[in-house]
Amino acid sequence: MTATQDPPTRTPSKGRPEEGLARGIGTTGVAMIALNGIIGAGIFGVPAGAAALAGAWSPLVFVACALLLAAIMLCFAEISSRFTRTGGPIVYVGEAFGHFAGFQTGWAFFIARVTSFAANISLLLASLAWFWPAADSGPTRVALLALFIGGLTWINVAGVRGAVRLLGGLTVLKLLPLLALVAFGLGWLDESVEAWIAAPAPGIADFGTAALLVVYAFVGWESALIPAGETRDPARAMPRALLGALAVATVLYVTIQMISVAALPGLAESDAALVDVAAVLMGPTGAVLLTAGVVISVTGNLAASMISSPRMTFAMARDGDLPARLGRVHPEHRTPANAIIATSVIVFVLSVFGSFLWLAAMSALVRVLIYMGCIAAMPRLRRKASDLDAPGFELRGGWTIPVVALLASGLLLIQLSWQSLAATVAVVAAGSVIFLLMHRRAHASD
């Protein structure tokens, strides 16, 4: 199954042609990609760390983090309302700051995503080993990696609608254990409120440290911006989906934290917070259910990544920054088939053979830099609004929300390590070489 349709020639105005991809993703589909990006494995462990720092006040930490992310998301809602092309941040930064900046955004984001994908699939097999010990060792592990990655590849090549339907099913299965925990724990909410009222407020330093821990349970939604070229009316769908996903995640997170604080007095010392909470609320069956929830949650996260990550490869190939073959569209399925297959091969190799922990360290920094780069692009994008893909809208309040969003992004940088910076610099340097080689080759062939 190979792609033979070349990508359309890129043009710099509203008159740019369609990319040839099938627009099979609606607002709900975008929201599911965003929600699966947000709700991964983190929420199953973060409640303990938040409780250790903020105690009964920890649900308010989740509220504060949601408000910070809301400012960032509102900026992206405005930006995404102006574009209908595949690429998300690649397109936004490229339009504002030039082709090279757009490529480096996409390149670093792609490397961060595929290493994160490989790390998460390793986590998936480690979680599956709780039920089947052989799943995470020897030939069985390699076979399961091939089966899982190959299956996702086939589904995505065959059509974006099928990939979104799979993601929809996984989203429901992912939410069921969490919703069951909420249903069994509703009776603890009054006790949680009483504990909050009676508890002394944590110090500013502890509250801030807790926020830095919790805020990373809210990120990951930015991947939903990438497949705009396969989204129906993306200028309307993207903003609605982003904010809808944040609202669902916030309500779920705050409720779960309130229940966890009240139901499990030793929450701060728990190594598997929600599994232990479920055991209190539902007995051994609840613990098994939440352990299965970790497996399903990571699977949903991977299914969302398989939709978004190859589209970055496609977008960079479309723009002439990677081999043109990666930007070809399957003539029958109208998917970026070659980009999907290439991404899957990279993930498989990393998962089986690679030592990628130093690259995985860059993921958080790249995400924050993308937030800041896209927010910084807003003035230029507003001035260029008439030349972009769609009219879009402009946030009310002038520059208040973008400034708050930049400050919130800056706060995220506080927790990042020098290893993240070193890995990011290395990846950007490698990207610069690739960019130079590709464009020298293009000039030589002219």
Side-chain angles (χ1 to χ4, degrees), residues 74-112:
L74 283 169
C75 293
F76 276 82
E78 176 186 315
I79 298 168
S80 64
S81 73
R82 304 186 189 280
F83 294 94
T84 61
R85 282 170 284 156
T86 301
I90 300 174
V91 178
Y92 311 156
V93 174
E95 283 285 355
F97 301 121
H99 192 174
F100 179 69
F103 166 76
Q104 286 288 14
T105 299
W107 169 251
F109 197 14
F110 174 76
I111 297 299

Side-chain angles (χ1 to χ4, degrees), residues 167-253:
L167 185 62
L170 289 170
T171 303
V172 172
L173 292 175
K174 166 187 284 193
L175 292 178
L176 283 177
L178 298 176
L179 292 175
L181 187 148
V182 169
F184 277 86
L186 286 176
W188 293 87
L189 291 179
D190 288 343
E191 187 172 327
S192 180
V193 173
E194 292 171 3
W196 165 58
I197 293 172
I204 294 176
D206 284 342
F207 194 92
T209 303
L212 287 172
L213 170 67
V214 169
V215 76
Y216 283 101
F218 282 93
V219 300
W221 49 268
E222 61 280 350
S223 294
L225 299 163
I226 295 165
E230 292 164 280
T231 302
R232 295 187 294 273
D233 194 7
R236 290 170 58 86
M238 293 290 178
R240 294 179 177 183
L242 291 183
L243 298 174
L246 177 63
V248 171
T250 301
V251 171
L252 191 61
Y253 282 0

Side-chain angles (χ1 to χ4, degrees), residues 19-391:
E19 295 167 327
L21 300 168
R23 292 193 178 273
I25 307 176
T27 302
T28 302
V30 178
M32 286 190 298
I33 297 173
L35 191 61
N36 278 277
I38 296 171
I39 304 177
I43 187 56
F44 292 87
V46 164
L53 290 161
W57 286 68
S58 56
L60 294 182
V61 175
F62 283 83
V63 174
C65 290
L67 292 174
L68 288 177
L69 263 296
I72 297 173
M73 274 196 184
L74 283 169
C75 293
F76 276 82
E78 176 186 315
I79 298 168
S80 64
S81 73
R82 304 186 189 280
F83 294 94
T84 61
R85 282 170 284 156
T86 301
I90 300 174
V91 178
Y92 311 156
V93 174
E95 283 285 355
F97 301 121
H99 192 174
F100 179 69
F103 166 76
Q104 286 288 14
T105 299
W107 169 251
F109 197 14
F110 174 76
I111 297 299
R113 294 306 302 155
V114 294
T115 53
S116 177
F117 193 118
N120 279 335
I121 199 169
S122 296
L123 173 62
L124 171 64
L125 295 186
S127 301
L128 189 61
W130 193 87
F131 299 97
W132 179 23
D136 197 30
S137 61
T140 303
R141 181 179 188 275
V142 176
L144 286 174
L145 286 172
L147 181 65
F148 188 85
I149 296 172
L152 284 179
T153 303
W154 174 263
I155 291 168
N156 276 268
V157 168
V160 72
R161 289 182 177 86
V164 172
R165 282 196 292 269
L166 171 65
L167 185 62
L170 289 170
T171 303
V172 172
L173 292 175
K174 166 187 284 193
L175 292 178
L176 283 177
L178 298 176
L179 292 175
L181 187 148
V182 169
F184 277 86
L186 286 176
W188 293 87
L189 291 179
D190 288 343
E191 187 172 327
S192 180
V193 173
E194 292 171 3
W196 165 58
I197 293 172
I204 294 176
D206 284 342
F207 194 92
T209 303
L212 287 172
L213 170 67
V214 169
V215 76
Y216 283 101
F218 282 93
V219 300
W221 49 268
E222 61 280 350
S223 294
L225 299 163
I226 295 165
E230 292 164 280
T231 302
R232 295 187 294 273
D233 194 7
R236 290 170 58 86
M238 293 290 178
R240 294 179 177 183
L242 291 183
L243 298 174
L246 177 63
V248 171
T250 301
V251 171
L252 191 61
Y253 282 0
V254 172
T255 306
I256 286 174
Q257 188 67 19
M258 291 178 69
I259 291 169
S260 299
V261 167
L264 187 64
L267 177 64
E269 289 78 38
S270 174
D271 293 325
L274 294 197
V275 174
D276 290 342
V277 171
V280 171
L281 298 178
M282 296 177 273
T285 301
V288 173
L289 180 64
L290 264 292
T291 302
V294 175
V295 175
I296 298 168
S297 187
V298 175
T299 304
N301 186 275
L302 293 171
S305 291
M306 186 56 84
I307 294 175
S308 60
S309 297
R311 273 68 183 180
M312 287 186 280
T313 309
F314 170 83
M316 289 185 285
R318 174 201 63 201
D319 295 344
D321 301 324
L322 291 178
R325 181 179 295 273
L326 296 174
R328 291 177 181 168
V329 177
H330 195 285
E332 178 183 353
H333 303 300
R334 294 173 62 197
T335 56
N338 287 349
I340 293 169
I341 293 169
T343 301
S344 299
V345 170
I346 292 170
V347 169
F348 180 76
V349 171
L350 283 174
S351 302
V352 175
F353 303 108
S355 177
F356 52 84
L357 292 179
W358 69 278
L359 281 174
M362 67 172 280
S363 179
L365 178 57
V366 167
R367 179 178 286 122
V368 175
L369 292 178
I370 286 173
Y371 292 166
M372 299 181 81
C374 291
I375 296 166
M378 290 178 70
R380 293 193 179 191
L381 295 179
R382 285 181 177 181
R383 289 196 298 268
K384 295 178 64 175
S386 60
D387 296 324
L388 301 179
D389 302 0

